[in-house]
Amino acid sequence: MEHPIIDRALATADSLKEILSGVSAQELESVLQELVRVRRESRRVYITAAGRANLVMRTFAMRLMQIGLTSYVVSDTNTPAIQAGDLLIAGSGSGITETVAVIARQAKETGARIILISKSAGSPLARLADTVLQIPTGRRTRKLQTRGSEFEHSLFVLCDSIGVELRNH
């Protein structure tokens, strides 16, 4: 028996497949190489985002820790100060989230490297980042979910897949 919720969920999965197929392999490889560098040099990874994207990025921080990297979520009580050579990974769909931008600017001033995962490759945060991984949302013709949800769902699947690839790398 079909149900409208199952139909919507399956259509959403198809939509995510379309979004993720538009992600640049070159950008993904750059992100992977940054993470490999951090692991090789025994540096630390810091994660930051705001709102619902923050929840998704927290799962990424945990995944990185589970595969052997030293990772922290910015603003947690046990997070040490970022240092030169460390890596900040920021998630911001818009690329203009001010709290994330402040953290990224401070990290840049210390000599940390920055990866931005965003749907906005030309944003102020993207210009600050060393590496940008664009998630090309907003191309849907049929509204299955809000644009924010498209980004967050894609972010989760992509970050988890990065973790699996890094574990196997």
Side-chain angles (χ1 to χ4, degrees):
M1 179 173 151
E2 292 185 23
H3 191 280
I5 293 173
I6 293 170
D7 293 342
R8 180 175 293 277
L10 292 172
T12 298
D14 288 340
S15 174
L16 291 175
K17 183 177 179 180
E18 184 181 337
I19 291 166
L20 293 170
S21 69
V23 172
S24 163
Q26 182 178 0
E27 290 174 6
L28 275 169
E29 189 58 31
S30 294
V31 169
L32 186 62
Q33 291 310 309
E34 281 285 353
L35 287 163
V36 167
R37 177 195 62 83
V38 165
R39 182 168 56 191
R40 183 183 64 245
E41 296 175 3
S42 299
R43 304 303 309 181
R44 300 174 296 191
V45 179
Y46 292 77
I47 301 292
T48 190
R52 294 177 303 185
N54 184 36
L55 298 173
V56 173
M57 293 299 287
R58 284 176 169 277
T59 65
F60 188 40
M62 181 177 283
R63 177 69 67 224
L64 293 175
M65 182 270 308
Q66 289 169 339
I67 62 175
L69 279 83
T70 303
S71 63
Y72 297 97
V73 176
V74 174
S75 298
D76 278 359
T77 57
N78 65 335
T79 302
I82 197 166
Q83 297 176 352
D86 289 340
L87 176 64
L88 175 71
I89 304 177
S92 172
S94 67
I96 60 171
T97 309
E98 189 55 32
T99 54
V100 176
V102 167
I103 292 164
R105 283 191 294 272
Q106 290 172 345
K108 192 73 161 179
E109 289 171 6
T110 67
R113 300 206 29 96
I114 300 171
I115 291 173
L116 173 67
I117 306 175
S118 180
K119 59 186 179 182
S120 302
S123 68
L125 268 168
R127 289 189 292 277
L128 185 62
D130 298 290
T131 301
V132 176
L133 178 57
Q134 183 180 18
I135 298 176
T137 64
R139 301 180 306 167
R140 309 292 69 74
T141 56
R142 191 172 65 186
K143 274 302 197 194
L144 299 170
Q145 52 185 338
T146 65
R147 283 190 179 180
S149 292
E150 284 182 342
F151 176 72
E152 292 144 10
H153 293 151
S154 300
L155 180 65
F156 177 81
V157 172
L158 195 57
C159 285
D160 202 54
S161 297
I162 290 169
V164 170
E165 183 64 24
L166 185 60
R167 181 192 68 205
N168 296 332
H169 200 268

